[in-house]
Amino acid sequence: MTSGTGRQTGGAARSLPGPEPRADGGADAIAAAGGLHAYQLRLHDAYGPVVRFQLPGTELAVSISDPVLLEATAGLDERPVRPFAFLEPLCEAGNLQVLPAAEHGPWRHLLLSVLAGRPSHERHFGQFTALTTALADRWAEQADRTPVALQRDLTALSLRMICAYAFGGEVTDPEGVVTAFEEVLTEHLGRLYEVPGAVGPAERAERAERAAAALARLRATVDRVVATHRRADWTDRSDLIGALVAAGERPARIRDTVMMIMLAAHHTTGVAVSWTLYLLGRHPEVAARVTEEVDRVLGDRAAPEYADLRRLTYLGMTLKEAMRRYPPGPYGARETAEDLAVGDYLIPAGATVFYPFWAVHMNPQYWPEPEKFVPERFTPEAVAGRPKLAHVPFGFGPRSCEGAALAVVEAELVLAVLLKRFRFRPVAGDEVTPVERFVLWAADDIRMLVSPRTPG
C-alpha cells in the first residue's frame, strides 16, 4: 500500500524505481527529453517522487520531487565533485562550489553577512536603480516599434549590477569587465552544451586563448580593487571585497570568490525578471493588478526607494509564482556521506541526491493545476498550508544560494521600474521554449513589445 507521497506503510526499505541502465550513461535520454530539467519532469511523472536515474559523471543519482521527502536531505553539506569539475579552471584556491563542509561553513557565513544584509542592499540600491533606469531609457527609444529581447538585455543588466556590487565604483572600465566575463563564460560554460566535433582544433585553441586572457584581466581587476581597499584600511563589511579583505582572506580566495559570485548572479536576476514579464504579458489581468500596486506605492516617482519594496506585496507574490513556474536554477545536487533513509527508501552512501526544483514546483499534490500562473498561491495563508520546501527557487539547506536575498531585491526593483513605465505584449507567432543552459533559459530569447503607459 502506498501513500500520496510515494511512501509504503510498513516493511523494509523499498527498491529505488527508475529506468533501465543504458550503455551511454543516460546522456541520450537526457538529450531526447530536451535537457535535464525536462527529463526530470518525465522521470517523476513515470516513476513517482523518488527516482533512480543515470547522470553522466555520477555512479548513482537519485532525484526527489516531493517536498516532504526532501526534508530528510536538508542537512547534506557536500556537493558531488565531478558535475562541478567544469568550474575548476576558474578557481585558483580550490573549486569553491565543492569545498568540504568544514571549510565551506565559515566561508558561507562570511558571504551571508554581506550578501544577505540590509546595509549591503541599501548601499548599492542607488547604483542598481541608475542601471535599470538606463535600460528603460533605451527601451523607450524602441517602444511600439521593435521588440525587445528580454533575456539578452536583462541578463546584461544583471551582470552590470553584480559588477557594481562586487567592485563598487572603483573599476575604470566596467564595460570591459562585463565583456571579459562573457568571454570566460562562453568558453567554460559553453563546453557543457557543445556538440562533439562542432568546434575544430584551431577554433578551440583560439577560444581558449581569448578566455585565458579575459580571465587574467578579471583577476588583475580584482587585485587592483583589493589593493585599494588595503591602502585605505577598508572596514566596511557591507562591501564584498572589503569584507573578504577584513576577514584576512588570501588574494587567490578573494579572486575566486568574486568570480563565483559573478557567475552565480550573472543570469539569475535577469532570467527571473524575463520569465516574470513573459508571464505578465500573457496574463493582462495579473499585470493590471501589479501595475495598480506599483502606481499606488510609487505615486509620481519613477523608481522605488529601498523601503518601498516591502509594500509591493503583490509584485513580490508575482515574482515568486514566476520563479515557481520557471525557476532560474532548475536543479541542485548533494552527495550522501552515509546511507540515508528517505521515506521508505534507502539511498546508499556516495550517491548523488538530485534536487529537481522544477519538478518540485510542478508537483500537483502541492500545486493544484501547476501549469496555471496564479500569484495568489503566495498569500501568507496559502504559504502556511504547504510544506516549507514546496518552493525552493534558490535551493535549501547549508548550500543554498547565499545571494538569494540580494537577487530578490534586484528583481523587485527592476520589475517596479519597468512596470511603472511600460506595458508588455507578446510578439504574435513567437514560440518560447524553455531549455537548460546552466539556468532555465528560453531557446530563442523572449521577445516582447513595450508600450509607454500612463499610470492611473
Side-chain angles (χ1 to χ4, degrees):
M1 178 178 179
T2 58
S3 70
T5 59
R7 300 181 182 184
Q8 186 173 18
T9 57
R14 302 168 63 189
S15 297
L16 293 166
E20 291 297 318
R22 301 164 62 110
D24 65 358
D28 284 349
I30 294 170
L36 195 50
H37 66 294
Y39 185 50
Q40 297 306 306
L41 295 176
R42 292 188 184 184
L43 284 176
H44 288 289
D45 184 58
Y47 296 100
V50 180
V51 183
R52 164 195 48 78
F53 73 107
Q54 289 179 288
L55 180 65
T58 66
E59 295 297 325
L60 171 66
V62 181
S63 184
I64 305 171
S65 67
D66 185 289
V68 175
L69 297 180
L70 277 175
E71 291 181 13
T73 75
L76 296 180
D77 194 11
E78 299 289 355
R79 278 193 175 135
V81 173
R82 289 177 65 185
F84 293 91
F86 71 96
L87 294 173
E88 290 176 1
L90 305 185
C91 298
E92 297 175 292
N95 190 337
L96 296 180
Q97 292 298 312
V98 295
L99 285 178
E103 188 177 356
H104 173 256
W107 180 74
R108 173 181 171 81
H109 179 75
L110 174 60
L111 290 187
L112 285 171
S113 71
V114 180
L115 297 172
R118 175 170 178 160
S120 173
H121 301 166
E122 287 193 295
R123 174 183 173 86
H124 296 91
F125 200 79
Q127 289 175 292
F128 295 162
T129 301
L131 290 168
T132 306
T133 300
L135 174 62
D137 290 342
R138 292 197 298 274
W139 280 4
E141 295 176 359
Q142 63 187 90
D144 288 324
R145 295 184 294 107
T146 307
V148 298
L150 293 187
Q151 284 183 157
R152 181 197 65 195
D153 290 353
L154 289 169
T155 55
L157 172 63
S158 181
L159 184 53
R160 287 181 174 85
M161 282 180 164
I162 199 58
C163 283
Y165 185 88
F167 300 120
E170 299 175 50
V171 174
T172 57
D173 181 22
E175 292 301 316
V177 170
V178 171
T179 299
F181 194 72
E182 287 285 7
E183 288 179 357
V184 171
L185 288 183
T186 298
E187 172 63 10
H188 293 285
L189 292 187
R191 290 184 185 180
L192 294 178
Y193 313 105
E194 191 175 277
V195 177
V199 179
E203 183 180 353
R204 158 102 37 221
E206 182 181 350
R207 281 176 23 180
E209 184 176 350
R210 286 200 307 268
L215 183 57
R217 288 199 300 275
L218 288 174
R219 287 173 174 162
T221 299
V222 176
D223 285 344
R224 285 194 295 271
V225 177
V226 168
T228 299
H229 283 49
R230 285 184 170 141
R231 285 196 300 271
D233 192 26
W234 196 269
T235 58
D236 185 355
R237 287 182 175 268
S238 70
D239 174 274
L240 176 60
I241 291 181
L244 293 167
V245 170
E249 289 286 358
R250 61 190 188 278
R253 175 56 59 83
I254 294 175
R255 287 192 293 268
D256 290 354
T257 299
V258 171
M259 290 292 293
M260 287 299 105
I261 294 296
M262 290 174 67
L263 172 66
H266 172 236
H267 284 133
T268 304
T269 302
V271 167
V273 174
S274 296
W275 286 117
T276 304
L277 294 175
Y278 165 76
L279 289 163
L280 288 174
R282 282 154 178 77
H283 297 82
E285 71 288 352
V286 177
R289 183 170 174 183
V290 176
T291 53
E292 184 279 328
E293 179 184 74
V294 170
D295 289 343
R296 174 166 40 82
V297 172
L298 269 60
D300 294 332
R301 291 174 292 139
E305 300 292 337
Y306 179 77
D308 291 323
L309 297 185
R310 69 178 61 185
R311 300 168 57 201
L312 294 170
T313 55
Y314 194 71
L315 183 147
M317 291 161 56
T318 300
L319 174 63
K320 289 176 181 175
E321 174 68 347
M323 289 194 292
R324 180 193 70 81
R325 285 291 287 109
Y326 298 105
Y331 45 76
R334 303 290 185 271
E335 187 171 270
T336 56
E338 56 189 24
D339 292 354
L340 178 68
V342 176
D344 288 332
Y345 298 100
L346 187 66
I347 300 176
T352 294
V353 177
F354 198 80
Y355 296 155
F357 301 142
W358 208 16
V360 173
H361 290 181
M362 298 297 284
N363 187 328
Q365 182 172 350
Y366 305 99
W367 305 101
E369 300 181 285
E371 297 287 345
K372 288 189 174 181
F373 178 58
V374 185
E376 287 75 13
R377 299 183 198 268
F378 288 92
T379 63
E381 298 77 14
V383 171
R386 286 190 299 269
K388 63 180 180 180
L389 299 184
H391 187 248
V392 284
F394 297 104
F396 61 93
R399 296 271 179 169
S400 61
C401 176
E402 292 88 359
L406 177 63
V408 170
V409 166
E410 292 175 344
E412 290 182 346
L413 164 64
V414 173
L415 285 168
V417 170
L418 296 180
L419 293 171
K420 179 70 173 177
R421 291 185 60 171
F422 303 115
R423 180 167 56 92
F424 291 83
R425 292 174 291 129
V427 175
D430 269 14
E431 188 172 324
V432 176
T433 304
V435 295
E436 189 265 310
R437 292 291 183 271
F438 198 61
V439 292
L440 196 58
W441 195 251
D444 298 307
D445 216 307
I446 302 172
R447 300 191 315 141
M448 300 194 81
L449 290 166
V450 298
S451 301
R453 56 175 296 268
T454 303

